[in-house]
Amino acid sequence: LNIQYRIDSTQEIIQNMTSALTESDDYTDTYKTDLKSMTDCLNEIISDTDVTYIDMKAISLMHKQLAVAQEMADHGSYEIPVKVGEQTVSMHVVLQKDEGEGSGVEASLETQDYGTLSVSMQIRNGKVSGLLKTDHGETPQTRNYCETVRARLSENISGQLPQLSFDENDMAVIYGSKSNGAIAGSEEKASDQTLLSLARAFVTAI
């Protein structure tokens, strides 16, 4: 019962990490707080007498991953657990806020049927543009899936970020891509909250 309670607590933290993408004014601080809460849950599980040696090794690895995640957050890089259908997967998000390159956001995650799906977005004059990439080759099924994701992304941006505009034709789709390369940022400076909201608009389009 105690372990199940802690698992449920972890699920609540995961939900908070996703919702905070658009609700938190300081996501880095919220993210680090949630990571600490997850670490505390792991520490409580370790104290349970039912934990096996294999469980301990897995928990130790998770401890190390959480420590690295906290350090990377200071550099605008986040590993965010998100629900995609019935699965919980890790979405990698990088904020680009370079003085010379401007503002942009990259987000990627593993899908069950279409491999790694990633998006790079920039904002210029209130318009969103970018690239949608999958490491699967172009097949009718993959093409239909990516076009559906792009259409949902357009709807999400319109609903969640009405101050921005997005035309599906301004986002190219690249198939069979193994590269994580990003598009150039824009001169326009966007807040972390706006960039993270774009990331959430992407994951909720999957």
Side-chain angles (χ1 to χ4, degrees), residues 14-180:
I14 288 172
Q15 291 173 7
N16 181 64
M17 293 176 84
T18 305
S19 61
L21 284 170
T22 54
E23 297 171 359
S24 175
D25 292 329
D26 187 348
Y27 186 72
T28 298
D29 184 61
T30 301
Y31 178 79
K32 285 182 160 184
T33 299
D34 286 337
L35 290 180
K36 184 180 183 305
S37 297
M38 292 182 76
T39 301
D40 291 343
C41 283
L42 291 178
N43 290 338
E44 291 176 6
I45 291 174
I46 288 175
S47 65
D48 196 291
T49 56
D50 293 332
V51 174
T52 66
Y53 173 71
I54 294 176
D55 292 332
M56 288 291 291
K57 289 187 68 175
I59 290 170
S60 177
L61 177 59
M62 290 179 69
H63 260 291
K64 293 177 182 177
Q65 292 172 333
L66 289 170
V68 171
Q70 288 202 40
E71 182 177 346
M72 294 302 295
D74 289 327
H75 303 283
S77 178
Y78 308 93
E79 289 291 339
I80 305 170
V82 295
K83 292 284 288 184
V84 177
E86 297 300 316
Q87 291 186 313
T88 298
V89 300
S90 176
M91 178 174 68
H92 182 60
V93 177
V94 178
L95 303 186
Q96 179 185 338
K97 298 194 71 179
D98 185 90
E99 287 297 326
E101 296 183 0
S103 301
V105 61
E106 303 169 45
S108 62
L109 51 76
E110 285 287 329
T111 63
Q112 185 171 4
D113 299 316
Y114 300 96
T116 301
L117 198 65
S118 62
V119 68
S120 301
M121 291 179 279
Q122 67 172 6
I123 302 170
R124 188 184 298 276
N125 298 323
K127 292 186 64 176
V128 178
S129 61
L131 299 173
L132 177 65
K133 296 179 288 187
T134 173
D135 59 8
H136 275 211
E138 185 175 3
T139 64
Q141 293 84 357
T142 303
R143 185 169 58 249
N144 179 67
Y145 177 74
C146 288
E147 289 175 354
T148 299
V149 168
R150 187 171 58 175
R152 289 175 182 163
L153 177 60
S154 178
E155 293 176 3
N156 290 344
I157 291 174
S158 296
Q160 300 170 20
L161 294 159
Q163 73 274 26
L164 300 177
S165 64
F166 174 63
D167 187 322
E168 293 178 38
N169 294 322
D170 290 330
M171 177 165 284
V173 181
I174 300 178
Y175 300 93
S177 173
K178 303 296 182 181
S179 170
N180 291 325

